[in-house]
């Protein structure tokens, strides 16, 4: 048996990021940037006003107060989108709007709330101003030539904002991995049918397709291969047109477990492992025609756990991501965990992110076919290979797998 760590390292060594393609900024959300984005101009492009108010010389206001306002001549109005008509001199002010360029000579903007219109085109300023007050400096965000987003970044709304700011209507993003998903097993029945005696619904095909979609890759559903080498070969030959292949079932040591043999026949540099983990021990991994192929275990939870630990980082790397490993957190264990040492255990758990810290509760029903536990869980408690468990109150390592963990039913305040 090999360890989870060395299986993951061996897999990732074989994975290369996919090529890049051009996409419009509006379709770039959720994609992975395939180029460094450099700014060709500074932001802000010029000093501009952060407030509606008056641009003036701060030195004119040294003695200004409520009781003794300073009167300045308003020389013109400056709405956003226009350019200054001339410099500001001592004794003068420009009525300026938020975002308008600060006129030459002005050293501060006083917000309109601290002023009052005076007689004959004057303004009364009732407080002193700091030099630079309410002025957003050119380049305080970034300067021309700066790299503002690095290749490999996930494009979130913030990156879309940045791309728009630097004027990038098109960007290079990594191609989304197209992942062929197939199930194996004579016992599998399509979900539209009521399973006859001896058959079960093919849940893995849908679960794995959903997992693929959840990491931003594109699942291509190839259906069910029967438990014969011919049927498997037929499906896998089609699957080789995708960027990555995932199958479930048929990787154990049963009489009908042919996945590893057929992958080998198709020219895969085959690696078949028993990984020292629970659930999810049997795992076939190979590279056929440059495409990674994962033979995941058949038990529903085993296949989902194996996906989280091995396929997800591989797909993220193919998609161009630099950060591919799931984050783990330390949490306070609320119930004892007792297990047989020898394999790394991934215990389905409910992680609560309380203000006071993280709390993890292992759930009842850890069998590798118990889907209801997976539905209630949002994370795995990771029990190291040689550990026999933990006592309530100890600190454990938890790996959340559910993005909705960031939302809660009650307001946060
Ligand atoms: P196998 O590794 O093929 O022996 O499968 C192990 C267990 O997982 C058996 O109980 C199978 O019935 C079950 N199984 C295999 N494939 C699927 C699937 N696609 N959906 C649900 N259960 C499956
Ligand atoms: Mg089977």
């Amino acid at each position: 048996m090999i360890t989870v760590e060395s299986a993951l390292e061996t897999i990732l060594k074989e994975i290369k990021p996919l090529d890049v393609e051009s996409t419009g900024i509006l379709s770039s959300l959720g994609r992975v940037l395939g180029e460094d984005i450099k700014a060709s101009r500074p932001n802000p492009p010029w000093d501009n006003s952060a407030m509606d108010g008056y641009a003036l010389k701060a030195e004119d206001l040294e003695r200004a107060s409520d009781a003794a306002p300073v009167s300045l001549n308003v020389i013109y109005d400056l709405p956003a989108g226009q350019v200054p008509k001339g410099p500001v001199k001592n004794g003068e002010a420009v009525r300026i709007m938020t975002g308008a360029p600060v006129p030459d000579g002005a050293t501060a903007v006083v917000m309109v709330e601290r002023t009052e219109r005076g007689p004959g085109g004057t303004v009364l300023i009732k407080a002193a101003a700091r030099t630079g007050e309410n002025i957003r400096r050119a380049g305080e965000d970034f300067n021309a030539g700066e790299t503002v987003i690095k290749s490999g970044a996930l494009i979130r709304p913030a990156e879309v904002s940045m791309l728009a700011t630097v004027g990038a209507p098109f960007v290079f993003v990594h191609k989304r991995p197209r992942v062929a998903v197939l199930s194996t097993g004579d016992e599998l029945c399509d979900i539209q049918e009521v399973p006859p005696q001896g058959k079960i619904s093919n849940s893995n095909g849908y679960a794995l397709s959903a997992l693929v979609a959840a990491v931003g890759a594109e699942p291509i559903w190839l259906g069910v291969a029967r438990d014969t080498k011919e049927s498997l070969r037929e499906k896998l030959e089609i699957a080789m047109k995708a960027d990555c292949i995932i199958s479930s079932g048929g990787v154990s040591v049963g009489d009908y477990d042919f996945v590893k043999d057929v992958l080998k026949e198709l020219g895969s540099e085959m690696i078949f492992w028993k990984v020292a983990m629970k659930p999810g021990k049997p795992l076939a991994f190979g590279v056929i025609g440059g495409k990674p192929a994962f033979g995941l275990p058949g038990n529903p939870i085993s296949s989902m756990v194996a996906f989280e630990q091995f396929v997800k980082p591989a797909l993220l790397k193919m998609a161009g991501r630099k950060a591919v490993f799931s984050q783990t957190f330390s949490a306070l264990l609320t119930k004892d965990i007792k297990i047989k040492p020898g394999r790394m255990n991934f215990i389905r758990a409910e992680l609560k992110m309380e203000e006071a810290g993280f709390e993890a509760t292992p759930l009842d029903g850890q069998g590798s076919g118990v889907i209801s536990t997976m539905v209630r869980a949002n994370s795995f408690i990771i029990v190291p290979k040689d550990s026999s468990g933990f006592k309530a109150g100890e600190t454990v390592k938890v790996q959340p797998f559910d993005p909705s963990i960031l939302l809660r039913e009650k307001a946060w305040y």
Side-chain angles (χ1 to χ4, degrees):
M1 281 208 283
I2 69 163
T3 62
V4 170
E5 295 88 335
S6 65
L8 186 51
E9 265 173 39
T10 310
I11 289 168
L12 287 177
K13 245 184 247 156
E14 300 291 337
I15 307 288
K16 309 229 158 13
L18 298 178
D19 286 345
V20 297
E21 62 186 359
S22 171
T23 187
I25 180 172
L26 286 178
S27 336
S28 71
L29 187 67
R31 305 292 298 269
V32 181
L33 199 59
E35 59 175 332
D36 283 345
I37 299 295
K38 274 204 166 105
S40 60
R41 52 191 188 231
N43 190 54
W46 11 259
D47 291 359
N48 70 96
S49 177
M51 291 282 175
D52 294 329
Y54 291 88
L56 42 75
K57 287 190 176 293
E59 67 203 43
D60 284 351
L61 304 183
E62 264 161 25
R63 273 182 277 276
S65 69
D66 260 339
V70 168
S71 170
L72 300 173
N73 272 331
V74 180
I75 54 177
Y76 57 88
D77 281 8
L78 184 50
Q82 299 207 1
V83 290
K85 290 181 189 140
V88 174
K89 300 195 201 73
N90 286 107
E92 293 178 347
V94 168
R95 171 99 172 106
I96 195 169
M97 305 300 145
T98 306
V102 174
D104 284 347
T107 60
V109 171
V110 172
M111 60 203 275
V112 72
E113 291 85 341
R114 290 199 196 154
T115 69
E116 210 172 90
R117 289 257 182 200
T122 61
V123 62
L124 300 172
I125 316 273
K126 301 176 184 170
R130 245 182 328 102
T131 299
E133 190 166 315
N134 296 325
I135 294 177
R136 301 189 284 217
R137 292 292 173 199
E140 74 176 24
D141 185 356
F142 53 81
N143 277 304
E146 248 179 70
T147 299
V148 289
I149 321 177
K150 286 208 175 112
S151 180
L154 176 69
I155 302 181
R156 307 165 302 164
E159 280 73 20
V160 172
S161 170
M162 181 59 89
L163 292 170
T165 302
V166 301
F170 296 99
V171 281
F172 283 110
V173 292
H174 286 277
K175 289 186 173 160
R176 277 172 10 122
R178 294 162 311 144
V179 183
V181 178
L182 67 129
S183 302
T184 73
D186 285 347
E187 75 277 33
L188 301 179
C189 153
D190 209 347
I191 62 167
Q192 288 80 0
E193 295 168 45
V194 177
Q197 187 65 27
K199 309 268 180 189
I200 55 165
S201 282
N202 167 23
S203 65
N204 290 354
Y206 293 88
L208 292 171
S209 298
L211 285 163
V212 166
V215 302
E218 184 189 345
I220 299 163
W221 173 227
L222 294 186
V224 177
R226 295 297 149 204
D227 281 328
T228 63
K229 288 194 175 180
E230 294 67 40
S231 177
L232 266 172
R233 198 177 296 126
E234 194 185 309
K235 291 284 186 197
L236 283 170
E237 275 171 351
I238 301 171
M240 283 166 69
K241 296 195 176 104
D243 300 311
C244 176
I245 303 162
I246 303 176
S247 70
S248 75
V251 286
S252 310
V253 290
D255 292 343
Y256 300 94
D257 291 336
F258 297 131
V259 169
K260 48 192 187 286
D261 299 339
V262 174
L263 282 174
K264 212 180 273 172
E265 280 172 33
L266 290 172
S268 159
E269 286 165 37
M270 225 2 263
I271 307 154
F272 171 63
W273 292 317
K274 285 188 170 132
V275 183
M277 67 190 279
K278 192 179 173 190
K281 182 166 71 171
L283 177 75
F285 172 71
V287 181
I288 336 178
K291 316 285 178 68
F294 294 88
L296 303 182
N299 280 307
I301 306 308
S302 307
S303 64
M304 293 179 87
V305 171
F307 183 97
E308 282 293 327
Q309 303 310 321
F310 304 118
V311 186
K312 183 176 176 177
L315 291 179
L316 291 175
K317 186 170 178 190
M318 287 179 96
R321 294 285 284 275
K322 302 273 195 281
V324 301
F325 298 105
S326 297
Q327 184 66 261
T328 59
F329 298 90
S330 293
L332 202 70
L333 189 65
T334 63
K335 267 168 80 177
D336 293 0
I337 295 176
K338 231 176 134 186
I339 47 134
K340 210 167 86 202
R343 293 198 262 164
M344 181 177 275
N345 270 248
F346 294 91
I347 308 278
R348 275 154 279 164
E350 189 190 358
L351 177 65
K352 281 196 182 142
M353 295 173 152
E354 303 294 352
E355 297 287 316
F358 297 167
E359 264 183 17
T361 303
L363 300 171
D364 290 337
Q366 292 288 330
S368 58
V370 184
I371 296 166
S372 52
T373 315
M374 197 69 198
V375 168
R376 284 185 290 136
N378 58 15
S379 48
F380 298 120
I381 295 171
I382 300 178
V383 183
K385 186 168 146 295
D386 298 317
S387 161
S388 54
F390 296 100
K391 290 251 173 291
E394 287 191 283
T395 298
V396 289
K397 190 180 269 197
V398 182
Q399 184 187 56
F401 54 75
D402 177 2
S404 68
I405 199 165
L406 292 176
L407 296 173
R408 46 192 278 169
E409 284 178 20
K410 268 204 208 144
W412 53 270
Y413 44 82

